[in-house]
Amino acid sequence: MPHDHHDHPHTDLPSEPSLRVKALESLLLQKQLINRDALDEIIDTYQNKIGPQNGAKLVAMAWTDQSLKQALLDDPMPVLQQLGFYGRQGEHMKIVENTDDLHNLVVCTLCSCYPWPLLGIPPSWYKSDAYRARAVREPRKVLSEFGVDLPQATKVRVWDSTAEIRYLVLPQRPAGTEGWDIPQLQKIVTRNAMIGTEILPPQNGTLESGEA
Amino acid sequence: MKRPHDMGGDQTDTPVRSEPLEHADGVFDQPWHADALALTLACGALGQWNLDISRHARECLAPEDYRTFTYYEKWIAALADLLVERGVISQMELSGETPPAQSDLSSRALKPSEVAAVLSRGGPTNRDTDTSPAFSIDDSVLTRDAGNKLVAGGHTRLPSYAAQKIGRIVAHHGAHVFPDAHAHGLGEMPQHLYSVAFKAIDLWPDVANSEDKVILDLWEPYLGVPV
């Protein structure tokens, strides 16, 4: 029986998850198959260098440059390569635009596919069984749990990331941001808005750069 | 039989809770989560498997484990299983019955100076092909039943909820590595990849809005012509 529990080598590891990781790491270090500094470099990359700030900058740029926005919607890869927003789990990006008529939502029902170079590592809820099960079946109900209540006139498009195409939602630019520059705009673009579980609220228009 | 990872459309009332605001920007909830991710990526760099094999290893966890393990527990369990299956470590080493032996692969261990390049290089899956796509934009297609047709019980990326459903081609992405083959040592076997839009009303009995759609990226072997 190929899926019998006792056939799985991992059952030889400690049951406490943090000890299990430590045990495996320790063995691999002794066999010189990993390098602890390299692990720390990977962690530092996704903790501090690659995250939703990349996607937020891209969205702010798209909001302020119509031709860039069109290029991103048509074929984003050349632009992303140029901006350095390319890499693992972002090799084949598609940007989908929210409008008054259309709301996009991204999920991976089979695992946890997510556009790493633009959003970093996915949040826990994105990887949860509940989100993976429900986003495709009852997206409006899921959205309402995030405080997004869509009018019936707005159509929903749920993108299930079943291949290596990765999706980023281009949120609508909120009212009250007229005349803002890219650094101001990128501060109000949230990770959830780029997954599709948030609609960016109107701004009061009096915010100064750095105080958002 | 549907496996636990194939959960799209499963009926549950569990709320999807956004994390509390104070954790909104936290990348890893626990330090060992970060270690689990880093270990997985570093071991991937040893070159003993590909992403499809790695996904399949997680799917092959015992159903009970898949359902009860947290996210990174699945990763670490699947990683341990893969390392043993591929002979990178032995079960005896893992259980502590024998001391760690020297490995021929140690020269391939990921170095700190290589991390940035490895992560930014990625692994594109598009491939050249001599075959013409069987479908065009706006074509109506019928998905086949779910399940790997090359390897019984093998890896596939056609979710059960979208099997034997009628959809419409909305994009063609050229040929991409075919996971159903690639996860099982059968080579890349590139196949045309399409985005296929399904009306929500064609997938689910109770739909909040008949204009809503679900779009999936599906390889040509998953698709047929509706009768």
Side-chain angles (χ1 to χ4, degrees):
Chain A
M1 170 84 196
H3 300 302
D4 186 281
H5 187 82
H6 300 289
D7 285 350
H8 288 91
H10 73 257
T11 52
D12 278 332
L13 287 166
S15 57
E16 157 65 26
S18 63
L19 296 179
R20 189 177 289 187
V21 176
K22 273 289 159 231
L24 192 59
E25 179 188 336
S26 164
L27 173 59
L28 292 165
L29 281 171
Q30 290 178 73
K31 288 178 74 72
Q32 297 181 310
L33 291 170
I34 54 167
N35 174 313
R36 183 63 233 186
D37 291 339
L39 300 187
D40 290 335
E41 183 67 29
I42 293 171
I43 294 167
D44 180 57
T45 300
Y46 290 111
Q47 213 145 32
N48 302 310
K49 296 174 187 161
I50 298 179
Q53 67 273 16
N54 291 1
K57 184 178 180 190
L58 188 74
V59 167
M61 290 171 74
W63 281 345
T64 51
D65 182 341
Q66 183 59 37
S67 66
L68 180 86
K69 177 180 141 181
Q70 200 54 53
L72 286 171
L73 294 174
D74 292 342
D75 178 14
M77 293 321 297
V79 181
L80 294 174
Q81 297 245 24
Q82 205 182 349
L83 293 171
F85 295 156
Y86 177 85
R88 193 184 176 92
Q89 288 298 302
E91 295 92 345
H92 307 283
M93 286 299 309
K94 180 168 169 63
I95 316 279
V96 290
E97 184 185 19
N98 282 352
T99 65
D100 289 341
D101 305 324
L102 205 63
H103 184 87
N104 295 283
L105 180 68
V106 180
V107 64
C108 172
T109 64
L110 294 173
C111 48
S112 53
C113 297
Y114 190 74
W116 288 16
L118 290 166
L119 296 183
I121 301 298
S124 306
W125 62 260
Y126 183 86
K127 303 177 285 202
S128 71
D129 292 359
Y131 185 69
R132 287 167 56 186
R134 296 178 55 210
V136 285
R137 188 185 192 108
E138 44 182 20
R140 288 170 188 264
K141 212 168 153 190
V142 169
L143 285 169
S144 72
E145 286 171 23
F146 283 87
V148 175
D149 291 300
L150 292 177
Q152 281 293 317
T154 304
K155 299 168 199 161
V156 173
R157 296 287 176 269
V158 182
W159 300 84
D160 188 357
S161 316
T162 45
E164 299 303 329
I165 316 291
R166 297 287 168 268
Y167 293 90
L168 185 90
V169 176
L170 176 59
Q172 284 190 282
R173 181 172 175 167
T177 60
E178 296 76 12
W180 288 23
D181 61 16
I182 289 171
Q184 286 174 299
L185 288 168
Q186 71 185 73
K187 286 199 187 79
I188 61 160
V189 182
T190 64
R191 176 194 64 204
N192 288 9
M194 294 180 279
I195 304 173
T197 51
E198 184 179 346
I199 289 180
L200 298 173
Q203 304 292 311
N204 64 21
T206 60
L207 294 173
E208 294 297 323
S209 182
E211 292 177 9
Chain B
M1 194 186 72
K2 191 162 101 68
R3 291 188 60 78
H5 76 274
D6 183 9
M7 61 179 72
D10 283 1
Q11 282 192 292
T12 167
D13 292 328
T14 310
V16 179
R17 299 277 303 278
S18 189
E19 322 92 297
L21 275 180
E22 57 267 30
H23 295 304
D25 294 321
V27 176
F28 301 107
D29 295 339
Q30 303 280 340
W32 70 265
H33 292 183
D35 287 337
L37 176 100
L39 270 180
T40 302
L41 296 187
C43 288
L46 295 170
Q48 301 304 295
W49 55 77
N50 61 50
L51 185 55
D52 294 305
I53 291 172
S54 173
R55 285 195 184 116
H56 186 56
R58 283 171 213 142
E59 296 166 5
C60 283
L61 291 173
E64 180 60 19
D65 284 348
Y66 196 93
R67 277 188 279 265
T68 56
F69 280 1
T70 59
Y71 183 75
Y72 286 113
E73 282 181 86
K74 290 184 194 118
W75 275 44
I76 223 60
L79 176 62
D81 291 348
L82 258 184
L83 286 165
V84 172
E85 182 197 301
R86 301 276 149 171
V88 179
I89 61 175
S90 73
Q91 180 120 27
M92 302 281 273
E93 288 175 321
L94 195 62
S95 63
E97 289 165 71
T98 58
Q102 273 288 337
S103 170
D104 296 342
L105 294 171
S106 59
S107 62
R108 297 198 195 183
L110 184 67
K111 297 177 188 65
S113 58
E114 296 166 339
V115 169
V118 164
L119 297 180
S120 64
R121 186 166 59 234
T125 54
N126 57 323
R127 297 290 182 268
D128 291 334
T129 181
D130 295 332
T131 64
S132 307
F135 301 104
S136 308
I137 306 294
D138 279 337
D139 278 0
S140 191
V141 290
L142 172 67
T143 52
R144 72 181 193 197
D145 57 311
N148 188 315
K149 304 302 175 199
L150 303 168
V151 178
H155 179 67
T156 189
R157 297 290 289 182
L158 172 60
S160 298
Y161 79 85
Q164 295 175 303
K165 305 288 183 189
I166 288 181
R168 193 172 58 85
I169 305 277
V170 293
H172 172 232
H173 302 288
H176 279 244
V177 173
F178 188 41
D180 299 43
H182 202 223
H184 299 285
L186 299 176
E188 295 190 333
M189 218 183 275
Q191 303 288 333
H192 288 284
L193 179 71
Y194 306 88
S195 294
V196 183
F198 298 85
K199 291 179 180 175
I201 48 171
D202 289 336
L203 298 177
W204 318 112
D206 303 307
V207 167
N209 187 312
S210 61
E211 298 291 321
D212 291 349
K213 287 179 183 168
V214 182
I215 300 107
L216 291 82
D217 294 319
L218 302 175
W219 284 263
E220 198 164 279
Y222 300 166
L223 307 174
V225 179
V227 279

